[in-house]
Amino acid sequence: MAGEQQFRAKVTDTITTVGTGRRNTLSSRSTIFVGVISVVGGIAAALCGLHPTGSTAIDAVLVFAAAAAVIWASATAPWWVLVAAAGVAAAFADGWMWVILGVCAVGAGAYIGARKLNLGEVRSVIGLAVVLVCAHLRHGAFQGLSGLIGVTVLAAVFVAGVVRRPRAVRRKTWLVVGGVCLVGGVGIGAMAVAALSARAPLQQGSRQARAALDALNKGNLTDAAEKFKVASASFRNADDDLDAWWTQPARLVPVLAQYRNAGAVLADGAASSLSTVAASLGQVDPQTVRMQNGVIDIASVRALTAPLSEVATAIDALPDAIDEARSPWLVKPVTRRLDDLDKQIANNRTKLSNAQEAVRLAPQMLGATGVRRYLIAFLTPAEARGLGGFMGNFAEVTIDNGKVKVSRFGRHNELSAGGPDPEARHIGGPAAVIDHWAGFGFAEPDGTTSSDVWANVTMPPDFPSTADVIAQLYPQSGGQRLDGVFAMMPEAVAALMRYSGPVDVPGVDQPITADNVVDFILKGQYEITQKDERLDVLDTIARTTFQKLLAGALPEPATVGRDFAPLAAKGEFMAWSADAEEEQLYITVRMAGGFPALNGGDGIAVTVDNAGANKLDAYLKMDVHYDATKDEENGSTSSVATITLTNTVRPEGMPDYVTSNPYGLPKGTNRAYVSVYTGMPFVAASVEGVPQQPVVGDVFGWHLTNLWVDIPPGSTKTVTVTVAGMLNAPTYTVVKKVQALPIAPTYELSHT
């Protein structure tokens, strides 16, 4: 009798009908088993590396609690809910192992349903399998799709299981769920208030940080320090809002916690870094590194090393804060803003690195390790050369332990006649200069240069090559060894005169100022008919300007940099050093004036050299149209360069020195040696439609085509050069280099 009662109890405990309203029951032993499985499953899920909030400890607790609750509820969930949940999870599982686990769970659930078995222990194991598979869902079409699927599946299992529990259990469960929702609602509300409060200081901090970085780029250190200080305070206020005690419940809300953490981490990191930047910049007094009375305090320059290093370290910390703030849960607009900020920081970090390198090299460049000697070549584009203009005047500057002096002024003809033997000078390179400009005095058949090579020394349009030649020739022409060379067009002289003030020149009715010196050098000086007087005028302008600069004070280095950077970009101010590290600095800050690299792409550059020994290039207008067409069948590209040269001069009443030529051509005729540099080899050329046989070659990694063109006064000549070939760049790119001429050339590029 006792055995029969035990058998009936067991059957009652394990078999039930799954009709509407029927509940799955759990024995005491099953309850213990389900509890153990729930704990084990919760631990396993917590170890899966899920990050709903981004906080390791909170994530572990939340995932454990959610997984354990679902497994506990699954013990009484309908078999068909378990089958559906396992099927959906298997369909989106990431990896065959989890797919197989999901399929096995489907099979187990179907078996229970087919046999109408209760088996709460087995149902809980199926729930465990569903939880683990959902923890390994693959990412879908958008971030969070896997999380959305997983949460939906597990919520369905949880609800379906809870509704089949006894009324008392259901009531307690829903109370707990309600409490969780209440905490989440409080967190959402508190975070909304905090976000609104933090929005204004975040925007203010961002604006001030960008303005500070811009000021730092321009060298306005005092302004940058103040803006960084304001930005730091704004970000600190935002961090206080986002990290207030009443926002802590938001840390428990998945996804929302990711946004809160991102904002708080970014605000805190930015506040700390920018505060350090402001404090470090506050240690710098730009006035101490100005040239005053011809002296630059090298100790003050060296003193910049520490604060700039601190600034660099602080700015380097900003990308770390940005990376820490990143999360796959953040929406694209937020991610884009982080990316933009990261790029801006990287860009400014590069410029700061340049400043650090300049400070490191400045002492040796200022003669701290020995006297430095530099030559300044004053170029006159009224008589064009490939680099821009003819070198009419020069100055030799020496710097000894920060003390600057002009040791010599002169004209190019002094160099032509200078040195122990003007007929025996020679250069050892660069090879490109010797190969392509040998016929212009750079290399005679016996290996020497011609005595008038100084008149053509600026024909190569690559300043490092030209400066190298100058440095080789100068000691052979009566000068001393050079440590560097600078080239200044009239616009650079005008920039210096803005610091020095006007110059009174004997024989000139009005003072020469920064506003009129360019026009005077290009045109006005030639109205002085006596050549000796004209030469004295140029010497007076250069000498007086430098004397005033050395007797007074230059602006802060940042101001000088802002004024001369645009000139360097246009080839109106260039620098070269015999020291490799210093030359690399010039290249990095784009002062080197080198011919650009093509990097497998196309390129166009047109230069003119004055071949008429006159000053007519002040009136030459050049327009370049470069049309490229790609053949899609064979991948080759052909291009046509159309160069329009217009001589705008009116020679009547102008001095012969300006308009004449040694070839018997009518006065005012501009004889130009036209050089067309392209990324592809020469095919054909014409002048006014008449085919030409130009001189062609390769130089500086480009293809070169040279033609002679005569342009009568008031007329236009059209030069056409066709090139074709294969380019190595993945997409069509074209590089251009524009010669610095008095009338700025125009370029129009097209590609089909």
Side-chain angles (χ1 to χ4, degrees):
M1 187 69 176
E4 181 179 352
Q5 290 177 345
Q6 290 177 353
F7 177 76
R8 289 179 178 275
K10 185 174 182 180
V11 171
T12 301
D13 186 42
T14 58
I15 301 179
T16 186
T17 301
V18 195
T20 303
R22 299 293 299 274
R23 305 192 184 282
N24 301 321
T25 59
L26 295 175
S27 67
S28 299
R29 185 177 62 184
S30 296
T31 300
I32 295 174
F33 180 87
V34 169
V36 172
I37 289 295
S38 299
V39 172
V40 171
I43 295 173
L47 296 176
C48 289
L50 301 176
H51 301 290
T53 70
S55 172
T56 303
I58 294 175
D59 287 339
V61 172
L62 288 180
V63 172
F64 170 83
V70 171
I71 296 170
W72 169 80
S74 65
T76 54
W79 68 268
W80 54 269
V81 171
L82 295 175
V83 168
V88 172
F92 291 93
D94 187 14
W96 285 107
M97 181 178 72
W98 305 110
V99 172
I100 293 173
L101 180 60
V103 171
C104 290
V106 170
Y111 176 78
I112 291 175
R115 299 295 301 272
K116 298 183 179 181
L117 301 176
N118 189 4
L119 298 180
E121 298 96 325
V122 176
R123 293 173 191 256
S124 65
V125 172
I126 295 173
L128 170 60
V130 172
V131 166
L132 294 178
V133 175
C134 285
H136 294 87
L137 298 182
R138 64 179 179 272
H139 294 297
F142 59 89
Q143 178 61 39
L145 177 60
S146 59
L148 179 62
I149 294 173
V151 168
T152 301
V153 168
L154 297 179
V157 172
F158 178 78
V159 172
V162 170
V163 298
R164 290 199 168 215
R165 293 296 177 109
R167 179 177 299 176
V169 174
R170 293 201 310 273
R171 184 181 301 110
K172 293 179 180 178
T173 302
W174 296 133
L175 286 175
V176 172
V177 171
V180 170
C181 292
L182 178 62
V183 172
V186 170
I188 293 172
M191 192 60 207
V193 174
L196 289 174
S197 179
R199 181 179 180 181
L202 279 174
Q203 291 177 337
Q204 169 75 357
S206 179
R207 283 195 301 268
Q208 289 296 316
R210 293 176 188 276
L213 289 171
D214 184 58
L216 184 61
N217 284 339
K218 295 177 180 178
N220 295 332
L221 303 188
T222 302
D223 190 31
E226 183 60 31
K227 284 181 167 57
F228 276 127
K229 184 177 180 180
V230 174
S232 174
S234 297
F235 279 119
R236 181 59 64 201
N237 290 336
D239 180 52
D240 291 342
D241 289 333
L242 293 173
D243 205 29
W245 65 266
W246 43 272
T247 68
Q248 299 307 307
R251 301 177 63 186
L252 304 176
V253 183
V255 181
L256 178 64
Q258 300 277 3
Y259 284 94
R260 176 196 172 278
N261 293 345
V265 167
L266 197 59
D268 179 62
S272 298
S273 297
L274 297 181
S275 176
T276 302
V277 172
S280 299
L281 289 177
Q283 303 173 33
V284 180
D285 182 4
Q287 299 296 323
T288 63
V289 291
R290 301 170 63 192
M291 186 179 75
Q292 302 186 62
N293 298 318
V295 177
I296 300 175
D297 186 358
I298 293 179
S300 297
V301 175
R302 288 190 171 122
L304 296 175
T305 302
L308 285 180
S309 178
E310 292 172 0
V311 170
T313 300
I315 289 181
D316 283 344
L318 283 173
D320 293 336
I322 292 174
D323 289 340
E324 189 176 352
R326 292 186 187 279
S327 168
W329 291 99
L330 298 182
V331 293
K332 286 186 177 181
V334 176
T335 303
R336 279 198 298 268
R337 290 185 180 181
L338 291 177
D339 290 339
D340 290 343
L341 182 58
D342 210 359
K343 289 177 182 177
Q344 186 173 10
I345 291 170
N347 182 45
N348 284 274
R349 184 62 182 88
T350 299
K351 294 178 180 179
L352 183 59
S353 296
N354 295 340
Q356 288 180 282
E357 183 68 359
V359 168
R360 184 180 73 84
L361 295 174
Q364 68 185 49
M365 298 169 73
L366 295 172
T369 57
V371 177
R372 283 298 189 97
R373 184 169 285 102
Y374 303 96
L375 183 135
I376 301 176
F378 297 98
L379 308 187
T380 306
E383 185 175 341
R385 295 292 186 269
L387 192 64
F390 164 80
M391 192 186 86
N393 296 70
F394 71 91
E396 180 187 285
V397 176
T398 57
I399 308 179
D400 184 6
N401 200 34
K403 183 174 179 57
V404 184
K405 71 174 182 178
V406 179
S407 49
R408 181 183 180 186
F409 278 100
R411 291 280 300 171
H412 82 279
N413 52 10
E414 296 177 27
L415 299 177
S416 294
D421 188 354
E423 302 295 333
R425 293 191 290 249
H426 68 279
I427 58 175
V433 173
I434 295 175
D435 290 345
H436 296 279
W437 287 275
F440 297 93
F442 288 89
E444 299 291 340
D446 63 356
T448 64
T449 65
S450 69
S451 58
D452 62 349
V453 65
W454 281 102
N456 292 326
V457 72
T458 53
M459 283 188 72
D462 177 72
F463 186 62
S465 299
T466 296
D468 187 357
V469 172
I470 290 174
Q472 293 180 65
L473 289 175
Y474 190 67
Q476 303 176 66
S477 304
Q480 300 186 55
R481 187 188 69 83
L482 296 174
D483 296 291
V485 179
F486 294 85
M488 302 183 72
M489 299 283 274
E491 290 78 5
V493 176
L496 289 179
M497 292 188 70
R498 288 189 176 90
Y499 310 146
S500 67
V503 174
D504 292 319
V505 178
V508 180
D509 294 337
Q510 59 180 344
I512 303 302
T513 68
D515 295 328
N516 63 23
V517 67
V518 173
D519 188 68
F520 180 81
I521 291 174
L522 295 176
K523 298 177 181 179
Q525 64 165 309
Y526 302 114
E527 296 176 2
I528 301 174
T529 56
Q530 296 296 320
K531 185 175 180 180
D532 291 340
E533 292 181 11
R534 182 175 52 76
L535 297 181
D536 289 341
V537 166
L538 294 176
D539 182 83
T540 299
I541 293 173
R543 188 185 300 272
T544 305
T545 297
F546 274 85
Q547 286 175 347
K548 285 188 171 184
L549 289 174
L550 295 179
L554 279 176
E556 301 172 5
T559 301
V560 177
R562 285 197 305 273
D563 291 343
F564 277 82
L567 302 178
K570 293 187 291 186
E572 295 168 346
F573 176 72
M574 294 166 280
W576 172 85
S577 175
D579 181 273
E581 286 188 315
E582 295 171 13
E583 175 64 7
Q584 183 56 52
L585 176 63
Y586 291 144
I587 293 172
T588 302
V589 299
R590 300 181 181 180
M591 289 176 56
F595 219 71
L598 292 172
N599 297 319
D602 198 3
I604 179 65
V606 181
T607 65
V608 294
D609 289 273
N610 185 295
N614 50 42
K615 308 299 177 184
L616 289 172
D617 295 310
Y619 306 92
L620 181 65
K621 185 175 184 295
M622 180 168 67
D623 301 297
V624 179
H625 295 259
Y626 191 68
D627 303 310
T629 302
K630 184 175 182 179
D631 188 328
E632 297 297 339
E633 291 186 4
N634 58 28
S636 67
T637 300
S638 63
S639 300
V640 178
T642 304
I643 303 109
T644 303
L645 300 169
T646 303
N647 185 356
T648 66
V649 71
R650 294 181 178 180
E652 297 80 9
M654 299 184 71
D656 287 348
Y657 187 81
V658 176
T659 61
S660 64
N661 60 80
Y663 307 110
L665 299 171
K667 286 187 178 182
T669 298
N670 188 320
R671 171 161 285 188
Y673 184 63
V674 181
S675 300
V676 183
Y677 299 82
T678 57
M680 293 176 292
F682 168 81
V683 173
S686 66
V687 177
E688 290 296 296
V690 179
Q692 304 290 310
Q693 295 296 323
V695 176
V696 299
D698 299 306
V699 63
F700 309 134
W702 292 56
H703 299 284
L704 173 60
T705 303
N706 290 119
L707 307 97
W708 298 89
V709 183
D710 292 335
I711 312 117
S715 68
T716 296
K717 288 293 182 73
T718 300
V719 178
T720 301
V721 175
T722 302
V723 297
M726 302 293 292
L727 299 172
N728 295 324
T731 58
Y732 181 81
T733 57
V734 59
V735 178
K736 70 175 181 180
K737 180 175 173 62
V738 182
Q739 184 182 19
L741 292 174
I743 302 176
T746 64
Y747 277 70
E748 183 177 327
L749 312 177
S750 65
H751 170 240
T752 55

